[in-house]
Amino acid sequence: MVKIEIAPWCKGCPVCYNVCPAPVNVFELVDGVPKVARPEYCFACGLCAELCPAKAIILEDYEKPYHLPFGERVKSLVKKMI
Ligand code: SF4
Ligand code: SF4
């Protein structure tokens, strides 16, 4: 199960919204600012957290520890896709 939140120090740039590759975007824009709207579609790829310039994405994946290095997470995702 994935827990994803945006911290109060979010700058509102919409990088997380723009990069989310989930089949249905986890974020939606409210007055141009991303909010977590559909957390059930998050598969913990970590892109939003990795690219957020304010480090404001709080992401925990209780099944696959999120603290794997970014490259390892991407590799494991790619393996599942092919
Ligand atoms: S990328 Fe980070 S700073 Fe930008 S809107 Fe998303 S959470 Fe906020
Ligand atoms: S971790 Fe990946 S799937 Fe989940 S919200 Fe961030 S970019 Fe989208």
Side-chain angles (χ1 to χ4, degrees):
M1 182 176 163
V2 178
K3 172 188 164 196
I4 178 155
E5 291 173 10
I6 295 179
W9 54 88
C10 162
K11 306 285 184 212
C13 63
V15 167
C16 54
Y17 172 82
N18 288 332
V19 300
C20 181
V24 178
N25 200 316
V26 170
F27 303 96
E28 74 178 16
L29 296 180
V30 178
D31 295 329
V33 176
K35 302 288 175 203
V36 175
R38 291 166 288 270
E40 66 274 22
Y41 287 100
C42 175
F43 60 103
C45 70
L47 265 184
C48 58
E50 199 71 28
L51 297 175
C52 170
K55 297 287 171 221
I57 298 283
I58 300 165
L59 177 62
E60 290 177 55
D61 181 340
Y62 298 116
E63 289 168 12
K64 295 171 271 129
Y66 175 64
H67 19 274
L68 275 180
F70 183 60
E72 294 304 312
R73 287 201 308 278
V74 171
K75 275 188 225 159
S76 73
L77 280 169
V78 169
K79 267 191 211 155
K80 282 184 198 162
M81 289 175 192
I82 54 177

